[in-house]
Amino acid sequence: MGIQDIIEGKRRWRVHTARVRALPPDYRIVYTEIQRYLFKVGPVDLPDGPLLPGIVDFFEEGVAAGTGVRELLGDDVAAFCDDLIKDSRTYADVYQESARGRPGTAGT
């Protein structure tokens, strides 16, 4: 990764966070919780992938349609997140793979 990649990544992140700050307060609160959850259990490519910007797109559409965030996601936000990442490779997968690959570990 070169310096240009780092600069471009920071620029994209600033644009992303500006979009999040422009959301109504209830959407921002839910987005922050989703982001926390996904950074704990989410896909390996989360910081550079399309998932977080896609959530902001989805939220912006909900705001434009006048839909409340709970109507958009349902009552179980964790289930919503799990459904988003169900086919993605997560850090838990990486850990399990590394644990299985080491002799003498519980995963073998």
Side-chain angles (χ1 to χ4, degrees), residues 35-82:
Q35 184 181 20
R36 266 192 209 130
Y37 182 81
L38 291 176
F39 273 120
K40 286 180 185 175
V41 300
V44 174
D45 68 346
L46 183 64
D48 299 322
L51 184 60
L52 292 176
I55 292 169
V56 175
D57 291 340
F58 183 57
F59 279 11
E60 288 171 339
E61 291 170 12
V63 170
T67 307
V69 70
R70 289 193 72 185
E71 293 174 67
L72 206 57
L73 302 182
D75 290 330
D76 191 347
V77 177
F80 172 81
C81 293
D82 290 340

Side-chain angles (χ1 to χ4, degrees), residues 1-2 4 15 43 46 55 85-86 106:
M1 177 182 283
Q4 291 294 47
V15 168
L46 183 64
I55 292 169
I85 63 171
K86 67 181 174 204

